[in-house]
């Protein structure tokens, strides 16, 4: 009796999981063409080696998941087209992008900003600061 109940429960669980997986693949979640092109720029310049998205990536630079809330599009484009001189402790200079590449990258950041992260990545706290 216990084995039969376990087998029925397992089959129903597996069936439910398979149905939810199939259904989630059918959901329309269009990624704009500009965001896809911006992601390609992000990958071509290996930005992940220094910067992070959603807390994953390099730690030399900032997490850029919500950078569009901190800087305007024009500021970001100007930064990417004419990058400032970096501090001497950086291993490599910030790459200079073309105007078109910078605009595509900013579109990618705008797309990332729309993804609900529920407060992730957490903000850094100072030592001794309460949670």
């Amino acid at each position: 009796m216990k084995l039969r109940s376990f087998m029925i429960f397992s089959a129903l669980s597996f069936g439910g999981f398979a149905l939810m997986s199939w259904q989630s693949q059918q959901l329309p979640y269009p990624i704009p063409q500009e965001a896809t092109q911006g992601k390609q720029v992000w990958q071509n310049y290996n930005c992940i080696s220094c910067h992070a998205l959603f807390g994953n990536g390099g730690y030399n630079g900032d997490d850029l998941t919500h950078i569009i809330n901190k800087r305007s599009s024009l500021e970001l484009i100007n930064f990417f087209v004419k990058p400032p001189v970096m501090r001497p402790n950086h291993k490599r200079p910030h790459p200079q992008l073309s105007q078109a590449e910078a605009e595509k990258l900013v579109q990618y950041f705008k797309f990332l900003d729309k993804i609900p992260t529920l407060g992730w990545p957490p903000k850094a706290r100072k030592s001794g600061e309460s949670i």
Side-chain angles (χ1 to χ4, degrees):
M1 185 64 179
K2 288 182 181 181
L3 180 61
R4 181 177 170 189
S5 299
F6 174 74
M7 294 298 286
I8 291 171
F9 178 74
S10 297
L12 289 174
S13 297
F14 179 76
F17 175 74
L19 179 65
M20 287 188 330
S21 296
W22 177 79
Q23 233 178 0
S24 68
Q25 292 176 358
Q26 306 305 317
L27 292 175
Y29 193 68
I31 299 174
Q33 183 67 25
E34 299 85 15
T36 303
Q37 292 170 349
K39 181 180 179 189
Q40 189 65 45
V41 171
W42 174 268
Q43 292 172 340
N44 288 345
Y45 284 97
N46 195 21
C47 301
I48 199 78
S49 65
C50 296
H51 295 281
L53 291 176
F54 303 107
N56 295 314
Y59 296 107
N60 291 337
D62 294 337
D63 187 304
L64 301 180
T65 308
H66 295 293
I67 191 67
I68 207 73
N69 288 334
K70 298 174 186 172
R71 304 273 188 258
S72 71
S73 298
L74 186 59
E75 283 179 294
L76 290 172
I77 291 171
N78 287 336
F79 178 85
F80 294 132
V81 172
K82 298 175 189 169
V85 176
M86 304 301 278
R87 297 186 309 257
N89 63 342
H90 281 42
K91 295 181 180 168
R92 62 182 179 170
H94 202 276
Q96 183 175 0
L97 306 181
S98 69
Q99 182 77 20
E101 289 174 325
E103 290 171 0
K104 290 174 186 175
L105 191 57
V106 167
Q107 290 300 318
Y108 180 53
F109 290 146
K110 286 181 179 179
F111 173 74
L112 292 176
D113 190 55
K114 293 178 186 175
I115 297 173
T117 59
L118 303 176
W120 187 263
K123 296 187 187 334
R125 290 178 290 151
K126 294 182 180 177
S127 178
E129 193 176 322
S130 64
I131 298 176

